[in-house]
Amino acid sequence: MAEVIFNKLEKVYSNGFKAVHGIDLKIAEGEFMVIVGPSGCAKSTTLRMLAGLETISGGEVRIGEKIVNNLAPKERGIAMVFQNYALYPHMTVRENLAFGLKLSKMPKEQIEQQVNEAAKILELEELLDWLPRQLSGGQAQRVAVGRAIVKKPDVFLFDEPLSNLDAKLRASMRIRISDLHKQLKQSGKPATTVYVTHDQTEAMTMGDRICVMKLGHIMQVDTPDNLYHKPKNMFVAGFIGAPEMNIRASRLVDKAGQLCLSIGDEAMPLNDRLRDKAFAHLGQEVFYGIRPEFVELSDEPFAGGCCSGEMVRVENMGHEYFIYLRVADYELTARIPSDKAKPMIEKGLHRKVWFTFDMSKCHLFDAKTEQNISL
Ligand SMILES: Nc1ncnc2c1ncn2[C@@H]1O[C@H](COP(=O)(O)OP(=O)(O)OP(=O)(O)O)[C@@H](O)[C@H]1O
Ligand SMILES: [Mg+2]
């Protein structure tokens, strides 16, 4: 059991490239923290510094009471699962699970007990005498997770462990790993978990909290709900959520005494909350942000103020449609339940429709700083 703390953590590679720029992060004991961000944002570098697989150029890493900067991986109380896990091909599942424990000279009975325990949690009992080549991708990945569990670490580290699996298996492994974390917590042996992924669905569904990174900086650390509804900046707003939030350049304009958002040649009235927030930015360049599910469409103008666009493309998701509108020099995505979308689509594409935003869900970003000015 241990909390994990990064204090001004830095990484400069030997070629002089600064990959991690002095990040601060506190992960509570037993917390499931997901680190997410696009390729190259230094997720793996950060995790590898925590694991002791990469030297630390500045700042410190703490696990529990200890500063671990100069400790070897095996002295840190961690276990790590990688994307490209390699099982020993000539050893059975049981032998693969036991291997690390044998090396540490654990008594035989205890090894057997810990292997059986891990096999039970991961439903590997039937497979204990199989060889890796007889396993499916999902089963093999469970063995890889099992090898981490048997060590009973204080901290679990995962680096994109599911990336090699197909979508269905990924979904079921996601649930298994989450369940495992909950089981350990309920049994009174919570394991702090740091899980790296570039997949925002994994991040949203698994994390107690999520740390969003960009180019070696932390952009926001928050609960999934807060990242989704209260993104602190444009990067987080655009990264979290699929289909993506519509984030488009605009201006705050005064229209007949009412503060509005310019959209092409038209204007959308703000609500009271946004008006208060936006007042200090009157006349400035801003970006507005609205998730596709908070865009409403109609064949008629809306009473409370709206704008218009051309319906250019639709995608049928079954229970809903993604409808793409050409508005001024950009496109907007709307996400509309099928029963509402169908009658509109049946009237044909490439015609004028009206849209409005649920303003209680609309964000405004400062064009220069990219910070959310509407929180
Ligand atoms: N050994 C190295 N020497 C120099 N630069 C490196 C080295 N390893 C990684 N980098 C650089 O550090 C940055 C972060 O790399 P890292 O592998 O941590 O990213 P990542 O977020 O894990 O990306 P991915 O999602 O692709 O796995 C990248 O710009 C990468 O090119
Ligand atoms: Mg990586």
Side-chain angles (χ1 to χ4, degrees):
M1 286 196 256
E3 65 175 359
V4 171
I5 294 175
F6 299 156
N7 194 357
K8 308 259 177 303
L9 183 62
E10 253 183 46
K11 177 66 187 181
V12 183
Y13 278 108
S14 55
N15 63 358
F17 179 73
K18 194 167 186 174
V20 177
H21 294 255
I23 58 173
D24 293 312
L25 183 63
K26 190 170 174 176
I27 305 167
E29 183 172 288
E31 186 171 31
F32 198 118
M33 174 67 78
V34 176
I35 300 180
V36 72
S39 187
C41 72
K43 304 179 294 293
S44 296
T45 302
T46 303
L47 198 71
R48 291 171 61 82
M49 284 195 281
L50 171 55
L53 302 172
E54 199 68 73
T55 57
I56 292 168
S57 315
E60 61 185 28
V61 173
R62 277 173 186 270
I63 300 178
E65 301 292 297
K66 275 186 285 185
I67 295 176
V68 300
N69 285 38
N70 298 313
L71 291 187
K74 65 176 191 308
E75 298 170 312
R76 295 188 182 198
I78 51 140
M80 186 153 169
V81 183
F82 298 92
Q83 175 180 353
N84 295 309
Y85 55 91
L87 303 179
Y88 301 108
H90 56 286
M91 291 185 194
T92 63
V93 168
R94 189 193 309 277
E95 288 162 344
N96 265 286
L97 291 174
F99 188 71
L101 303 181
K102 270 189 190 151
L103 282 188
S104 70
K105 306 247 174 356
M106 186 182 277
K108 220 172 166 186
E109 304 77 60
Q110 198 184 344
I111 293 181
E112 205 174 292
Q113 191 204 332
Q114 286 188 210
V115 166
N116 287 340
E117 211 174 298
K120 190 168 174 206
I121 290 173
L122 290 164
E123 291 172 49
L124 290 169
E125 290 151 305
E126 315 276 291
L127 308 175
L128 281 172
D129 296 317
W130 293 29
L131 287 168
R133 67 181 146 79
Q134 298 172 296
L135 303 175
S136 71
Q139 290 167 336
Q141 184 56 300
R142 259 147 64 199
V143 178
V145 174
R147 281 198 310 203
I149 293 182
V150 291
K151 291 189 192 164
K152 303 204 167 177
D154 294 327
V155 185
F156 275 109
L157 307 181
F158 292 92
D159 192 351
E160 312 242 12
L162 310 184
S163 302
N164 288 345
L165 305 179
D166 68 47
K168 265 218 171 105
L169 259 179
R170 264 210 311 273
S172 78
M173 279 302 291
R174 221 162 59 205
I175 293 169
R176 264 178 203 278
I177 293 174
S178 293
D179 284 354
L180 167 67
H181 183 78
K182 282 187 203 115
Q183 267 177 28
L184 291 174
K185 203 168 225 173
Q186 279 161 5
S187 69
K189 291 173 276 183
T192 310
T193 300
V194 188
Y195 188 104
V196 160
T197 179
H198 63 267
D199 178 341
Q200 55 102 22
T201 310
E202 267 175 38
M204 289 295 283
T205 52
M206 297 175 88
D208 291 325
R209 285 192 303 156
I210 302 171
C211 169
V212 183
M213 290 187 72
K214 176 191 174 189
L215 297 173
H217 295 274
I218 291 179
M219 304 307 285
Q220 186 168 355
V221 183
D222 226 322
T223 59
D225 236 27
N226 278 345
L227 285 184
Y228 195 82
H229 292 289
K230 296 177 179 170
K232 285 204 172 124
N233 51 62
M234 234 153 85
F235 180 81
V236 172
F239 190 78
I240 299 289
E244 252 179 62
M245 185 188 283
N246 297 293
I247 301 175
R248 302 289 181 264
S250 178
R251 270 172 305 113
L252 295 165
V253 293
D254 186 328
K255 198 179 163 196
Q258 213 183 14
L259 195 55
C260 294
L261 212 49
S262 77
I263 295 182
D265 299 332
E266 299 175 308
M268 185 86 83
L270 297 173
N271 64 2
D272 288 346
R273 176 186 68 98
L274 288 177
R275 223 170 269 135
D276 286 349
K277 301 282 183 188
F279 200 71
H281 301 263
L282 188 62
Q284 287 176 13
E285 265 182 76
V286 294
F287 282 78
Y288 69 83
I290 187 85
R291 295 201 182 277
E293 60 266 40
F294 303 128
V295 177
E296 284 178 63
L297 291 189
S298 170
D299 292 319
E300 313 280 336
F302 291 83
C306 59
C307 295
S308 64
E310 180 192 347
M311 205 157 65
V312 287
R313 226 155 8 100
V314 296
E315 286 179 323
N316 183 357
M317 296 290 134
H319 64 300
E320 64 183 6
Y321 281 78
F322 299 160
I323 299 184
Y324 299 88
L325 302 176
R326 174 139 287 274
V327 180
D329 57 350
Y330 54 76
E331 272 187 19
L332 286 182
T333 313
R335 196 172 166 179
I336 309 289
S338 289
D339 55 337
K340 267 196 189 161
K342 269 189 184 146
M344 294 188 71
I345 292 164
E346 276 158 12
K347 288 184 199 157
L349 285 179
H350 303 293
R351 61 194 183 81
K352 183 171 175 172
V353 293
W354 279 264
F355 64 91
T356 188
F357 300 158
D358 176 351
M359 278 296 167
S360 69
K361 306 290 187 192
C362 183
H363 301 276
L364 299 177
F365 302 97
D366 183 295
K368 283 206 185 75
T369 65
E370 301 195 354
Q371 295 302 301
N372 191 338
I373 55 176
S374 58
L375 287 178

